[in-house]
Amino acid sequence: MNTAATTGLDLAGKVAVVTGATLRQLGVGIGGATARMMAGRGAKVVVADLEEDAAQALAEEIGAAGGEAIAQRLDLSDPGSIKALFERAVSAYGTVDILHNNAAAVLAKDTTLIDLEIDVWDAMFDINVRGYALASQHAVKLMLQNGGGAIVNTSSVSALGGDITRVAYGACKAAINALTIYTATQYGRQGIRCNAVCPGFTLSASAKGGITDNALEILGRHTLTPYLGTPEHLAEVVTFLASPAAAYITGQIISVDGGLLSHHPQTHDQLVAAGA
Ligand SMILES: NC(=O)c1ccc[n+]([C@@H]2O[C@H](COP(=O)([O-])OP(=O)(O)OC[C@H]3O[C@@H](n4cnc5c(N)ncnc54)[C@H](O)[C@@H]3O)[C@@H](O)[C@H]2O)c1
């Protein structure tokens, strides 16, 4: 059992597993920023991703900055690979206190309902839902031995508002929201908290690399904050939810979206201009 005393945002002595955590040429994503922040607050971090070299680069960067991290290749579609991740965490650091379930596959062929191929639906669910559930299962078993722990799942605003494409992605994220409340409900009394964050558009390395200026302008116009989100905005919330400072927060689905989904279409100015 990990007995290191922690208060507030301090994660000293805690062991965290963060999936989808890499450092690439364009920078970090949400998992990478979270791993950096958790290590900065004292956690020993296992960074895991399909792209092993990019995960290794992040672990080395954290180590060079004085933190503690190791990298592990993970394929969330493979139950054996998920098991190996938690075995590695235990052999390196003794247990797992925190899980940030964050990796995700976004397949180009995930489009509209009637165009969707069954293999694409199944592949998306294997990685983005079954993978999260299996990782949670391993983490919960270890946390039960420790007397508690915290899981934060990365969901999406795509679970809350429909889109003209990516129907499987949206359904996967809605399933992650359900997994979150069931995990919180079934293990809350044993000291395990589970919450989800729903990012709005976030300027992660991969999102930056794949978006047009026009799409950025549209997203900016529909976000209430005068800026778009960064991986660090998400990492702040995830790290808080994983910390003792959030001891009374569980079973929550928290949008971190700059208010993207919290308003009507903004027609007021146009109506006034039209004399309405
Ligand atoms: N960036 C956004 O605008 C945004 C918005 C809403 C939700 N999200 C969610 O945030 C999370 C992180 O996304 P990000 O934007 O930081 O991008 P990211 O590319 O940094 O993170 C996703 C990671 O998942 C990894 N991955 C893909 N398939 C995998 C597999 N089978 N096994 C293990 N790892 C695998 C990728 O290699 C990648 O490193 C995802 O769950 C994503 O759905 C992002």
Side-chain angles (χ1 to χ4, degrees):
M1 178 173 171
N2 196 331
T3 54
T6 53
T7 55
L9 297 168
D10 186 11
L11 298 180
K14 299 291 183 192
V15 178
V17 170
V18 182
T19 73
T22 59
L23 176 59
R24 299 205 182 92
Q25 221 169 4
L26 281 175
V28 291
I30 294 167
T34 300
R36 273 178 179 163
M37 201 169 284
M38 287 185 177
R41 294 188 188 164
K44 297 171 195 154
V45 185
V46 183
V47 297
D49 199 274
L50 195 56
E51 292 184 29
E52 194 175 6
D53 290 350
Q56 184 61 37
L58 179 65
E60 285 172 14
E61 185 214 64
I62 289 171
E68 175 70 48
I70 54 169
Q72 170 80 14
R73 183 181 181 276
L74 167 70
D75 180 355
L76 267 184
S77 71
D78 173 7
S81 175
I82 299 169
K83 183 166 180 273
L85 168 63
F86 286 86
E87 285 170 352
R88 177 90 193 283
V90 171
S91 74
Y93 296 136
T95 190
V96 172
D97 303 293
I98 293 166
L99 168 63
H100 182 200
N101 250 333
N102 170 76
V106 182
L107 302 178
K109 290 176 87 177
D110 175 15
T111 56
T112 57
L113 181 64
I114 59 168
D115 290 330
L116 192 72
E117 293 162 20
I118 194 165
D119 290 351
V120 174
W121 178 272
D122 287 347
M124 290 290 286
F125 268 74
D126 283 356
I127 297 168
N128 298 328
V129 182
R130 189 185 68 188
Y132 274 48
L134 292 177
S136 300
Q137 201 176 55
H138 287 291
V140 165
K141 285 180 185 168
L142 292 166
M143 290 171 183
L144 288 174
Q145 295 168 17
N146 296 347
I151 298 175
V152 184
N153 294 321
T154 302
S155 178
S156 171
V157 289
S158 300
L160 308 173
D163 204 344
I164 54 173
T165 186
R166 293 190 185 167
V167 61
Y169 179 80
C172 285
K173 293 300 191 180
I176 287 171
N177 290 354
L179 176 69
T180 301
I181 56 178
Y182 273 77
T183 305
T185 302
Q186 294 181 353
Y187 303 102
R189 291 297 173 91
Q190 285 107 313
I192 297 171
R193 296 183 299 103
C194 184
N195 294 288
V197 289
C198 295
F201 180 74
T202 305
L203 290 159
S204 61
S206 53
K208 271 192 295 202
I211 191 144
T212 63
D213 287 346
N214 184 41
L216 275 178
E217 193 276 321
I218 293 169
L219 285 161
R221 194 153 27 94
H222 289 279
T223 300
L224 300 184
T225 49
Y227 41 80
L228 291 170
T230 63
E232 289 72 25
H233 285 126
L234 268 297
E236 285 284 4
V237 180
V238 172
T239 306
F240 163 71
L241 289 171
S243 78
Y248 204 41
I249 303 177
T250 194
Q252 301 305 306
I253 314 296
I254 298 168
S255 290
V256 186
D257 68 348
L260 183 69
L261 295 191
S262 58
H263 60 92
H264 287 292
Q266 293 175 344
T267 54
H268 181 73
D269 289 352
Q270 288 88 329
L271 292 173
V272 170

